[in-house]
């Protein structure tokens, strides 16, 4: 298995939301000047200025997709941090653990990513910016957080690299648009790209690290599972052995078939 169940769910949610966002953008761009709503919608829609209404609707969709993506990220990070094997691998690396100073989920994400191999600094800083942008949208009257001056200066050193390698992404314009709270469709979808890249690296680190754990660690996880303990108490039989092996495969799906069989044999 190359992806955790947490990443699969996350990618499905993100992919679905980006497709919907692009569909909305295409539909709005093709909206004719004489459009009238389908009577079956049973709504009142009488825009005074169709062009302005389309621009406003597109902005609403882009901002909503950014909020949705960040919420999906927070769920993924929380699920990874709560995972029993993750806790065995990374004792203090926990997204849900508050920082000692200037705590926020945006900053927690950046601090978390600093310990993950393969995540470039510009990736997680742009995702942090995205998280701050989510707060700016949801808590418009109270949120004033943002990237530090040093982090902004670092991103400035990556202007050419980001422009050349990520669909002509203009990081300076993005920082300006953040200050003005004017996120564009291109900015939102590119920021989502960095978000996905970070989560893939976190997942890779998790799965590659599991192979180094001892059978004792896996046994501890299983022995703390109430449902598994009920299976162990059943009278010995071929059916019981099959159920134990199947349960281990569900509980620890990232193990090889060989390791699952080895663990199951310990409980015969």
């Amino acid at each position: 298995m190359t992806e955790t169940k947490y990443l699969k769910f996350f990618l499905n949610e993100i992919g679905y939301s980006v497709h919907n966002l692009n569909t909305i953008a295409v539909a709005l761009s093709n909206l004719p000047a004489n459009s009238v709503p389908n009577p079956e919608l049973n709504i009142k829609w009488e825009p005074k200025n169709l062009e302005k209404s389309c621009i406003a609707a597109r902005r609403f969709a882009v901002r909503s997709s950014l909020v949705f993506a960040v919420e999906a990220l927070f769920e993924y990070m929380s699920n990874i941090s709560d995972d029993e094997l993750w806790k065995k691998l990374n004792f203090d690396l926990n997204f849900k653990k508050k920082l000692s100073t200037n705590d926020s989920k945006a900053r927690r994400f950046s601090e978390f990513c600093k310990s993950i191999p393969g995540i470039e600094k510009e990736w997680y800083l742009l995702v942090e910016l995205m998280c701050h942008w989510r707060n700016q949208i949801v808590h418009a009257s109270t949120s004033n957080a943002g990237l530090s001056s040093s982090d902004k200066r670092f991103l400035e050193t990556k202007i050419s690299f980001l422009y050349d390698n990520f669909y002509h992404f203009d990081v300076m314009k993005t920082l300006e648009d953040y200050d003005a709270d004017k996120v564009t469709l291109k900015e939102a979808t590119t920021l989502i790209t960095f978000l996905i890249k970070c989560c893939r690296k976190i997942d890779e680190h998790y799965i590659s690290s599991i192979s180094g754990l001892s059978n004792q660690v896996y046994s501890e996880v299983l022995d703390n599972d109430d449902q598994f303990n009920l299976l162990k108490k059943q009278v010995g039989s071929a059916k019981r052995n099959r159920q134990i092996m199947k349960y281990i495969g569900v509980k620890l799906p990232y193990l090889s078939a060989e390791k699952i069989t080895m663990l199951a044999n310990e409980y015969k």
Side-chain angles (χ1 to χ4, degrees):
M1 183 175 291
T2 58
E3 296 175 349
T4 65
K5 59 184 178 182
Y6 316 123
L7 184 65
K8 284 187 176 181
F9 180 80
F10 168 78
L11 292 178
N12 286 339
E13 291 289 284
I14 292 295
Y16 185 68
S17 68
V18 171
H19 172 75
N20 286 341
L21 174 61
N22 290 340
T23 300
I24 291 170
V26 170
L28 288 171
S29 69
N30 290 320
L31 197 61
N34 62 346
S35 289
V36 294
N38 187 323
E40 294 182 2
L41 291 175
N42 195 28
I43 60 172
K44 182 179 179 180
W45 187 69
E46 300 173 351
K48 295 180 180 179
N49 184 309
L50 183 60
E51 183 179 359
K52 288 184 178 180
S53 291
C54 289
I55 293 172
R58 174 169 162 150
R59 182 170 187 267
F60 176 83
V62 172
R63 284 159 60 87
S64 298
S65 71
L66 187 147
V67 172
F68 182 89
V70 173
E71 290 300 318
L73 169 67
F74 290 163
E75 183 174 4
Y76 170 78
M77 296 299 297
S78 295
N79 287 336
I80 279 287
S81 294
D82 285 339
D83 185 88
E84 294 174 85
L85 289 180
W86 179 270
K87 291 177 181 178
K88 300 286 186 182
L89 290 164
N90 306 276
F91 300 105
D92 296 320
L93 194 55
N94 189 321
F95 174 73
K96 299 170 81 172
K97 183 180 179 181
K98 292 187 176 182
L99 302 176
S100 57
T101 57
N102 300 321
D103 178 62
S104 70
K105 289 183 178 180
R107 289 197 64 247
R108 282 186 224 166
F109 178 79
S110 281
E111 290 301 316
F112 189 104
C113 287
K114 290 177 182 179
S115 299
I116 305 299
I119 297 184
E120 302 295 337
K121 184 175 180 178
E122 59 269 23
W123 298 1
Y124 69 70
L125 286 181
L126 287 168
V127 177
E128 180 183 336
L129 179 71
M130 189 179 184
C131 294
H132 288 311
W133 216 327
R134 173 262 180 204
N135 293 339
Q136 190 179 87
I137 294 169
V138 176
H139 307 292
S141 61
T142 58
S143 178
N144 56 7
L147 295 179
S148 68
S149 298
S150 61
D151 288 338
K152 289 179 181 178
R153 286 195 296 271
F154 174 82
L155 288 177
E156 289 174 11
T157 68
K158 296 291 182 176
I159 291 174
S160 297
F161 175 79
L162 291 170
Y163 185 85
D164 293 340
N165 292 278
F166 293 95
Y167 325 109
H168 293 174
F169 178 70
D170 187 340
V171 69
M172 294 307 298
K173 180 179 182 301
T174 299
L175 291 171
E176 292 171 0
D177 286 347
Y178 171 79
D179 291 335
D181 189 18
K182 293 182 178 179
V183 62
T184 66
L185 175 63
K186 182 176 181 178
E187 288 167 346
T189 54
T190 307
L191 289 173
I192 288 173
T193 296
F194 291 114
L195 184 154
I196 292 172
K197 290 175 76 68
C198 287
C199 290
R200 283 194 181 280
K201 287 298 180 183
I202 293 170
D203 230 59
E204 287 175 14
H205 174 65
Y206 172 85
I207 291 177
S208 64
S209 300
I210 284 176
S211 60
L213 292 175
S214 66
N215 283 358
Q216 181 182 351
V217 173
Y218 304 132
S219 296
E220 288 174 2
V221 170
L222 292 169
D223 291 339
N224 287 325
D225 186 290
D226 292 338
Q227 190 171 344
F228 185 74
N229 285 325
L230 290 176
L231 282 177
K232 287 196 302 181
K233 291 177 181 179
Q234 293 181 9
V235 177
S237 65
K239 179 181 178 181
R240 171 185 175 276
N241 293 340
R242 288 195 303 270
Q243 288 177 330
I244 283 179
M245 183 175 289
K246 182 177 180 181
Y247 192 84
I248 293 174
V250 172
K251 181 72 176 179
L252 305 171
Y254 320 120
L255 301 184
S256 65
E258 182 181 0
K259 280 213 169 189
I260 292 173
T261 300
M262 189 181 303
L263 277 171
N265 287 337
E266 293 180 8
Y267 294 98
K268 284 186 177 179

